[in-house]
Amino acid sequence: MNLPSPLTAFQRPPGSDATGPPEARGVARDAVKLLVAQPSGISHARFTDLGDYLRPGDLLVVNNSATLPAAVDGRRRGQPVTVHFSTARTANTWVVEVRPAGTATAHLPDIRPGERIDLPHGAALDVRSSYPVAGVEGARLWTARVAVEGGVPSYLGRHGRPIRYAYVPRQWPLSYYQTVFARRPGSAEMPSAARPFSTELVTALVAAGVVIAPITLHAGVSSAEAGEPPAPEPFEVPAATARLVNLAHAMGRRVIAVGTTVTRALESAADGRGMVIPRVGWTNLVLGPDHPARVVDGLITGWHDAGVSHLLLLEAVAGPDMVAAAYREAVDHGYLWHEFGDSALLFPAPTT
C-alpha cells in the first residue's frame, strides 16, 4: 500500500533534532516549547501554559501504554545486529525489525524466512514471514518465533534497552521514555506526545475542570519510511472513555487527543455517526483525505518528519492549511523534533 504524500511540505534546518531529554539541557519535562495553531492564529508558549488554551469541560484523551526496553543485541550469521521488538502477535510470536548493530539509520534489507538470529543468554528468533504482507522482498518488519524462557516482556526487562536512533547519541534510562500516564507495558516506542505532561500540570488541569480519560494503544517501531503506512497495532477504548467522549460531544465540549496513537484508537472505535463504542482489537486505520477525523476536535502532538503518514493524520484532524502553517512556524522558530522535542496543539478551522 502506497500512501499519498501529505500536503504539508517543509525542510528542517540542521540542529532541529532533540538529541536527548529536555532535562539533560536544563529544561523541565513540562517546559518544552508549545506551538498553538487555531483559527484565530498561531501563538508560541511553553507546555506548562497548556491550560490557557483549554476550557473547563474539555476532554483530554491520553494513551496509558508504557514503553518496553524493546532493543536487544543479537547475532546474525556471526555478525552483530540490533533487534527491535515491535508488536506481540501471540505470546511467542512478535513483529521485529532487524538493523545493523548500533544506531543504524536503516533496516537490514536481506532478511529471509527461516533465518535464525541468536539473542543473549540462549534466546533466539526464528524468522517466519514479512509483515504485514507476506512474501515481500527487502521488508522492514518480520514476524518471528521467539524462543525464550519466562516470556518476552520479562526477557526484555532483563536484557533490553529503549530503542534509540542516531539523532540521540547516548543511551538514556527507560524512565526517560515513560509518560506520567504509563500503566500498561506494550509499546516499542514511547507515545511521546504525552511526555511533556508532569504530575503538577495534570493536577492543575483537573483542578481547572479539564477531564482526562485513557485509551491503550501499543505503538510499534516508528521508523516507517516515507510513504509507508503504519502497521496494525493493538488498542483498547474502554467503556468509560467511550461514554465520556460521546458525552463531551453531546454537551458541545471538545475532545482533544494527546498524540496520533490516541487519535488512531478513537477514530478506529467510531461508528458511521462518529459515536465511539467500547472496542478491543487491532487497527490498521490510516486517516487522510479519504478518511477524515470524525471524533477528535483537537490534537496535541510532537513534530514529525516530512513525508510520513503521521502528517496525513494531522491534516485529517486540523486541516492541511493549519498543519502547513504550523510547520512553517516551527521551522522558523527553532522547534525541536522527535520524542524528546517540542510540542504543538492543533485546532481545525470550523466547518461550514
Side-chain angles (χ1 to χ4, degrees):
M1 174 183 179
N2 292 321
L3 290 174
S5 296
L7 299 177
T8 300
F10 60 93
Q11 186 171 358
R12 290 200 286 128
S16 58
D17 291 325
T19 59
E23 299 93 313
R25 50 183 192 270
V27 177
R29 177 181 283 245
D30 58 6
V32 297
K33 292 195 288 188
L34 175 68
L35 181 147
V36 182
Q38 50 192 335
S40 60
I42 292 177
S43 54
H44 302 274
R46 294 287 173 179
F47 203 85
T48 49
D49 304 319
L50 177 64
D52 295 342
Y53 302 93
L54 302 179
R55 307 168 187 159
D58 279 346
L59 175 63
L60 286 181
V61 184
V62 301
N63 189 354
N64 65 9
S65 179
T67 310
L68 297 170
V72 179
D73 294 325
R75 298 194 74 83
R76 175 192 181 228
R77 303 174 185 170
Q79 297 299 313
V81 296
T82 298
V83 178
H84 291 168
F85 283 75
S86 182
T87 306
R89 295 299 304 185
T90 68
N92 294 314
T93 300
W94 279 66
V95 178
V96 300
E97 180 189 47
V98 184
R99 294 181 170 229
T103 54
T105 57
H107 65 281
L108 287 171
D110 60 344
I111 301 293
R112 296 291 182 269
E115 285 198 50
R116 176 187 171 94
I117 297 174
D118 294 312
L119 302 176
H121 292 265
L125 297 178
D126 293 317
V127 177
R128 298 296 178 88
S129 64
S130 57
Y131 183 84
V133 178
V136 176
E137 294 276 341
R140 185 173 65 90
L141 300 176
W142 294 82
T143 57
R145 183 77 174 172
V146 187
V148 60
E149 292 186 4
V152 173
S154 176
Y155 178 82
L156 294 177
R158 297 191 304 272
H159 304 294
R161 61 185 180 274
I163 290 175
R164 175 172 62 95
Y165 297 110
Y167 55 81
V168 179
R170 58 156 286 190
Q171 195 72 52
W172 294 92
L174 184 62
S175 60
Y176 284 93
Y177 292 86
Q178 304 292 12
T179 74
V180 296
F181 306 111
R183 294 297 183 272
R184 302 180 64 181
S187 283
E189 298 185 26
M190 173 176 53
S192 56
R195 191 188 191 279
F197 282 90
S198 63
T199 302
E200 294 77 12
L201 177 58
V202 171
T203 301
L205 292 174
V206 172
V210 175
V211 182
I212 299 177
I215 60 88
T216 303
L217 186 144
H218 294 315
V221 293
S222 66
S223 54
E225 298 171 356
E228 182 182 0
E233 294 169 320
F235 77 101
E236 178 180 358
V237 176
T241 297
R243 286 195 299 269
L244 285 169
V245 170
N246 296 331
L247 179 61
H249 281 159
M251 297 180 66
R253 307 299 188 184
R254 299 181 298 185
V255 174
I256 300 165
V258 180
T260 58
T261 59
V262 172
T263 305
R264 199 179 190 203
L266 289 178
E267 298 292 340
S268 297
D271 65 15
R273 300 171 298 158
M275 297 288 288
V276 174
I277 58 176
R279 188 174 174 192
V280 178
W282 289 77
T283 178
N284 58 3
L285 176 66
V286 177
L287 293 175
D290 298 328
H291 195 128
R294 295 174 294 180
V295 177
V296 174
D297 306 306
L299 175 63
I300 295 172
T301 179
W303 299 95
H304 304 285
D305 280 329
V308 299
S309 63
H310 292 82
L311 291 177
L312 282 171
L313 185 149
L314 267 57
E315 292 176 359
V317 173
D321 292 340
M322 189 71 72
V323 176
Y327 272 78
R328 287 195 298 269
E329 283 281 313
V331 169
D332 290 344
H333 287 79
Y335 278 66
L336 296 179
W337 259 244
H338 301 306
E339 66 269 26
F340 294 132
D342 295 313
S343 296
L345 171 60
L346 307 175
F347 289 115
T351 57
T352 57

